[in-house]
C-alpha cells in the first residue's frame, strides 16, 4: 500500500468533518464550498473562531489564535472572495478590539477563558509571558489582503505592519519558530498584494532568510521524536522566495516524510498535554489528520 492510500485510510477512519473536506478539496476534486460550510461551524456570532479549530485549545470563546487558524484554511483553499461572509466575519472580529491592546491581538498568546476548557499546557493563561507577534503579524497580512482600503481596519493594519517590522528588526533574530512563521506570512501577504511601500521589502526578505536559518533544527536525528522546527513551517512551495537558499533541507524533509509514515497512515505527534488526557486523545487524532494533509501537500509540491 502506498503512502497516499495509507494516509487516505486514516483520514476516512479518524478525521473530523473539516479535515475530511480539506482532504477532499485538496486531493479528491472536492468542493471549496464544502470546506467553508464546515469551517463556518467554528465561527462565533462575533466573527471570531473557537471550539478547538486549533486542536490544542477547546475554548468556545473567540480568540485571535483560533481565528488565525481559520485564516490558514482560507489560504489553503485559495478563497479570494473579499465579500464572502466568512471573510467579513473575521474582519468584523478583528475590528472589535477583542483581545487587542492597540498593537497586537492576543499579544500574550493566551486568553483568560482558555483555563475554563481543556487545553494544552502552553495555552494556559499567564500574564508572565512575553509579548509576541504570534499570531498578530499574520493577521495584519490577512487584513491587508482582504479589507477594503478605505476602511479603518485596513488603515490600522498599514500602521501595525510598520510597528511589527520595527519590532522584528529590533528583536532580530527571534527565538520563536512560530513568531518567525507569522512574519514570513506577513511578508508573503504583502508580496502577494503588491504592498511594497509600507516597509523595505528587500531588507525584510533578507532578514527573513537569515531568520529561517536561525530557527530550523538541523539536527535531523531528533526530527521524529522532539518538537522541533522543520522548513515546511515556512516554505510550502518551490516558488517560495525562501526555497532556493534552503533547498537541501527542504529536499531532506521530503525524503524524511516518505520514510517516517506509520503503518496506520499517520505521522507522529511529537508533543503531549499534561492534563485533560481524555480530550488529548481526541485532539491527538485531530492533529494526526492535520499533519497528514500538510505532509501529503508537501510531498506533492516537492516531489523530486
Amino acid at each position: 500500500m502506498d503512502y497516499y492510500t495509507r494516509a487516505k485510510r486514516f483520514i476516512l477512519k479518524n478525521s473530523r468533518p473539516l479535515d475530511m473536506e480539506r482532504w477532499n478539496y485538496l486531493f479528491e476534486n472536492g468542493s471549496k464550498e464544502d470546506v467553508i460550510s464546515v469551517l463556518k461551524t467554528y465561527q462565533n456570532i462575533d466573527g471570531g473562531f473557537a471550539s478547538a479549530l486549533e486542536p490544542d485549545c477547546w475554548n468556545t470563546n473567540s480568540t485571535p489564535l483560533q481565528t488565525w487558524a481559520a485564516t490558514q484554511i482560507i489560504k489553503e483553499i485559495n478563497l479570494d472572495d473579499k465579500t464572502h461572509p466568512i471573510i467579513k466575519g473575521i474582519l468584523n472580529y478583528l475590528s472589535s478590539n477583542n483581545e487587542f491592546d492597540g498593537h497586537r491581538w492576543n499579544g500574550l498568546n493566551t486568553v483568560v477563558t482558555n483555563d475554563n476548557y481543556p487545553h494544552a499546557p502552553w495555552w494556559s493563561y499567564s500574564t508572565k509571558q512575553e509579548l509576541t507577534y504570534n499570531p498578530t503579524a499574520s493577521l495584519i497580512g490577512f487584513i491587508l489582503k482582504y479589507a477594503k482600503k478605505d476602511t479603518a481596519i485596513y488603515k490600522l493594519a498599514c500602521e501595525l505592519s510598520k510597528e511589527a517590522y520595527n519590532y522584528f528588526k529590533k528583536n532580530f533574530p527571534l527565538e520563536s519558530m512560530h513568531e518567525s512563521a507569522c512574519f514570513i506570512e506577513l511578508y508573503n501577504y504583502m508580496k502577494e498584494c503588491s504592498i511594497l511601500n509600507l516597509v523595505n521589502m528587500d531588507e525584510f526578505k533578507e532578514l527573513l532568510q537569515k531568520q529561517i536559518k536561525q530557527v530550523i533544527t538541523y539536527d535531523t536525528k531528533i526530527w521524529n521524536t522532539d518538537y522541533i522546527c522543520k522548513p515546511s513551517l515556512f516554505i510550502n512551495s518551490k516558488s517560495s522566495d525562501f526555497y532556493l537558499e534552503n533547498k537541501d533541507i527542504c529536499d531532506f524533509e521530503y525524503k524524511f516524510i516518505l520514510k517516517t509514515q506509520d503503518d496506520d497512515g499517520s505521522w507522529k505527534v511529537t508533543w503531549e498535554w499534561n492534563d485533560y488526557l481524555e480530550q488529548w486523545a481526541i485532539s491527538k487524532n485531530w492533529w494526526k489528520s492535520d499533519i497528514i494533509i500538510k505532509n501529503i501537500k508537501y510531498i506533492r509540491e516537492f516531489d523530486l
Side-chain angles (χ1 to χ4, degrees), residues 100 102-105 133 136 140 143 153 155-165 186:
F100 182 64
H103 305 279
R104 300 172 179 86
W105 286 273
Y133 269 90
T136 292
I140 292 168
I143 295 167
I153 190 67
K155 294 171 184 175
L156 174 64
C158 289
E159 294 305 311
L160 293 179
S161 68
K162 298 173 189 175
E163 284 187 13
Y165 184 58
L186 172 59

Side-chain angles (χ1 to χ4, degrees), residues 13 17 30 42 48 60 63 89 126 134 137 139 150 156 159 171 185 187 197 204 212 219 242 261 276 293:
K13 287 183 176 180
Y42 293 86
T60 62
T63 68
S126 171
N134 173 23
L139 293 175
D150 61 350
L156 174 64
E159 294 305 311
N171 292 277
E185 289 168 16
Y187 170 87
N197 60 337
F204 198 4
I212 289 171
D219 181 3
F242 309 106
Q261 187 182 31
Y276 310 105
I293 291 169

Side-chain angles (χ1 to χ4, degrees), residues 15-146:
S15 70
R16 53 187 176 170
L18 175 63
D19 298 320
M20 178 74 72
E21 294 303 344
R22 290 170 65 204
W23 176 274
N24 288 339
Y25 172 75
L26 291 165
F27 310 123
E28 303 279 345
N29 297 312
S31 162
K32 182 182 301 189
E33 282 303 322
D34 286 344
V35 180
I36 294 168
S37 178
V38 182
L39 181 61
K40 283 169 65 177
T41 65
Y42 293 86
Q43 190 171 32
N44 287 334
I45 194 168
D46 63 4
F49 282 76
S51 304
L53 178 59
E54 199 271 18
D56 278 341
C57 185
W58 288 31
N59 193 343
T60 62
N61 299 282
S62 298
T63 68
L65 184 85
Q66 300 270 16
T67 303
W68 166 83
T71 69
Q72 299 299 290
I73 295 172
I74 288 167
K75 182 167 54 178
E76 180 178 74
I77 64 174
N78 299 310
L79 177 60
D80 289 327
D81 179 5
K82 297 181 179 182
T83 66
H84 196 285
I86 205 166
I87 301 291
K88 287 184 174 181
I90 292 173
L91 293 175
N92 286 339
Y93 171 72
L94 295 176
S95 299
S96 70
N97 292 329
N98 187 14
E99 303 296 342
F100 182 64
D101 65 6
H103 305 279
R104 300 172 179 86
W105 286 273
N106 215 35
L108 291 173
N109 229 350
T110 63
V111 298
V112 175
T113 53
N114 280 357
D115 290 350
N116 298 330
Y117 302 87
H119 62 279
W122 43 90
W123 295 139
S124 294
Y125 180 71
S126 171
T127 56
K128 296 179 181 178
Q129 292 185 342
E130 293 184 7
L131 290 170
T132 173
Y133 269 90
N134 173 23
T136 292
S138 181
L139 293 175
I140 292 168
F142 180 87
I143 295 167
L144 291 173
K145 176 175 179 177
Y146 288 101

Side-chain angles (χ1 to χ4, degrees), residues 104 131 133 163-171 179 183:
R104 300 172 179 86
L131 290 170
Y133 269 90
E163 284 187 13
Y165 184 58
N166 288 334
Y167 163 92
F168 176 50
K169 288 199 296 182
K170 181 179 178 181
N171 292 277
E179 189 175 28
F183 275 100

